[in-house]
Amino acid sequence: MTAQLNARGDVAVLVPAAGAGVRLGPGGPKALRLLAGEPLLVHAVRRVAAAPSVRMIVVAAPAADVEAVSELLTPITPVSVVAGGAERQESVGRALAVVPADVPIVLVHDAARALTPPDLIESVASAVRAGRPAVIPTLPVVDTIKEASPEGLVLGTVDRSVLRSVQTPQGFQHQVLAAAHAAASDPLTDDAGLAEKAGIPVTCVLGSELALKITRPLDLVIAEALLAHGPF
Ligand code: C5P
């Protein structure tokens, strides 16, 4: 049984949330770390549920926390919760497996991007709806980027005008994501990478600074400040 949010919606959102969050320091699975008194996952799922196109949400939780995550999210919105895997890609694959075939659009969204605005979810979904097989939100790179040797010797300066920093949600036609996952061999850090390997064109749409990935301790401070003073 999969929990349904909005029967008229045409989008399933997969939320891989089974990572350990080692870079955030000690303190349990990252998705369950508190931001302004609530787990990151709650912030993320609340914003996903506010996007009108979303029919269903599938969360991949740490295997030991499936029941707790289900109880945590049920008061907020209907969700299906599955046990995640050892790699992010496996967690996404397990969540994808419970999406019914009649849902045409699937988005994959990291729980760590807890403050992603519902508008960004809609903008990615609408580009897929318009016929793009794979869509990613991106931002221009602001730093100068150097290529360096392992010893720290600069080998060259990369032309940053052609570079993009990639966020989630990443959106796909359902069958495109399913085929890309079925064909996957080595684990990648994002789903668009799988589509690229399968020769699928991937389109960029403008991302949002609010969709920052909460990875290191400073990111939590920035996210708390955004919640306190930002456009929420
Ligand atoms: O490790 P990274 O920051 O790239 O993880 C991105 C997202 O993937 C996080 O939301 C994390 O919880 C999730 N993840 C997962 N299963 C894993 C590893 C990461 O669902 N085995």
Side-chain angles (χ1 to χ4, degrees):
M1 250 304 267
T2 49
Q4 204 170 78
L5 182 67
N6 164 19
R8 288 198 311 265
D10 57 0
V11 176
V13 182
L14 316 182
V15 185
V22 174
R23 287 168 292 180
L24 208 49
K30 176 160 74 172
L32 301 178
R33 305 283 182 98
L34 298 185
L35 167 63
E38 288 186 304
L40 288 177
L41 181 60
V42 168
H43 289 280
V45 165
R46 191 183 284 127
R47 286 167 178 76
V48 171
S53 298
V54 176
R55 189 190 306 180
M56 65 179 300
I57 301 171
V58 187
V59 174
D65 299 315
V66 168
E67 211 154 303
V69 164
S70 204
E71 280 166 22
L72 179 71
L73 296 175
T74 302
I76 299 166
T77 187
V79 286
S80 303
V81 183
V82 300
E87 304 281 349
R88 179 188 179 282
Q89 195 167 302
E90 198 182 340
S91 298
V92 172
R94 290 183 181 191
L96 182 60
V98 306
V99 178
D102 70 340
V103 179
I105 299 171
V106 179
L107 268 52
V108 186
H109 183 43
D110 289 339
R113 297 189 188 272
L115 303 185
T116 300
D119 280 0
L120 183 61
I121 293 160
E122 287 300 312
S123 126
V124 170
S126 103
V128 178
R129 200 175 292 121
R132 306 291 187 166
V135 176
I136 57 174
T138 68
L139 289 177
V141 171
V142 290
D143 291 318
T144 295
I145 306 286
K146 304 275 187 199
E147 193 184 347
S149 72
E151 297 75 36
L153 195 65
V154 170
L155 304 173
T157 303
V158 182
D159 173 11
R160 74 177 174 202
S161 71
V162 299
L163 299 179
R164 299 285 180 277
S165 190
V166 179
Q167 304 180 320
T168 71
Q170 300 190 343
F172 305 88
Q173 291 167 5
H174 187 164
Q175 68 278 20
V176 165
L177 184 61
H181 267 263
S185 43
D186 303 328
L188 296 180
T189 52
D190 79 340
D191 299 278
L194 294 180
E196 287 160 45
K197 277 198 161 180
I200 304 292
V202 179
T203 303
C204 300
V205 297
L206 185 62
S208 164
E209 288 187 48
L210 298 176
L212 77 155
K213 183 174 179 188
I214 299 170
T215 306
R216 288 167 290 214
L218 178 63
D219 301 324
L220 269 179
V221 177
I222 294 168
E224 298 250 3
L226 283 170
L227 276 173
H229 308 293
F232 292 101

